[in-house]
Amino acid sequence: MLLHQLGYSPQLQVLITDSRGFVGRVDFDLPDIETVLEFDGKVKYGRYVPEGKSAADVLWDEKRREDRIRATGRQVVRIAWSDLDHPELVGRMIRDAADRAGRGNRATFLPTARPRSRQSRGAQSSESV
């Protein structure tokens, strides 16, 4: 309901795939802005941890899944119950994600400092010794 109030028309429970196949099912997809929303709760890292796995395993799997979702060009926004009390925050999180998706999520790289060659620092090459 909140997403509709914010002006979005989410697609629910959308399957995401990549070149390796099935990635996962996301809670809400906003395809027009290349953003997905995942509704999080602590329970999946506690009471609902599958037998034979630890909470750390579940968290690691979730991280890897999210990396694959982002690699498709989408941004991921995670919201929890407490966020629903702050619709302006949720709206800002979505807009920020949409901005990142619109930029192609390109990182800005600063030029790296290159060490001067040994010769330019006064060292002699083996040929001149």
Side-chain angles (χ1 to χ4, degrees):
M1 209 159 109
L2 174 59
L3 294 175
H4 288 286
Q5 290 171 352
L6 291 170
Y8 298 104
S9 298
Q11 296 178 3
L12 308 178
Q13 298 296 308
V14 173
L15 298 177
I16 304 291
T17 60
D18 64 10
S19 62
R20 294 184 281 168
F22 179 74
V23 175
R25 182 186 313 262
V26 297
D27 295 327
F28 305 98
D29 188 23
L30 302 171
D32 295 341
I33 58 172
E34 293 293 326
T35 299
V36 301
L37 275 78
E38 293 283 68
F39 195 83
D40 274 340
K42 284 184 175 181
V43 71
K44 73 178 174 183
Y45 306 108
R47 183 174 32 186
Y48 292 127
V49 171
E51 189 174 327
K53 287 196 169 207
S54 68
D57 294 331
V58 173
L59 187 59
W60 179 253
D61 291 346
E62 187 68 19
K63 183 206 173 306
R64 301 286 294 179
R65 175 182 172 273
E66 190 168 311
D67 287 345
R68 285 180 68 191
I69 292 170
R70 284 197 174 102
T72 68
R74 295 170 174 87
Q75 290 295 304
V76 179
V77 173
R78 294 190 167 276
I79 58 174
W81 282 109
S82 59
D83 296 323
L84 299 180
D85 293 331
H86 308 281
E88 70 288 345
L89 172 64
V90 174
R92 188 174 334 117
M93 291 165 59
I94 294 170
R95 286 189 304 277
D96 289 348
D99 287 346
R100 289 190 306 273
R103 289 193 308 264
N105 198 24
R106 289 182 216 103
T108 302
F109 294 98
L110 300 175
T112 57
R114 298 185 195 274
R116 296 186 328 208
S117 71
R118 292 183 66 201
Q119 197 159 12
S120 66
R121 288 185 288 180
Q124 295 180 351
S125 70
S126 59
E127 289 118 24
S128 63
V129 175

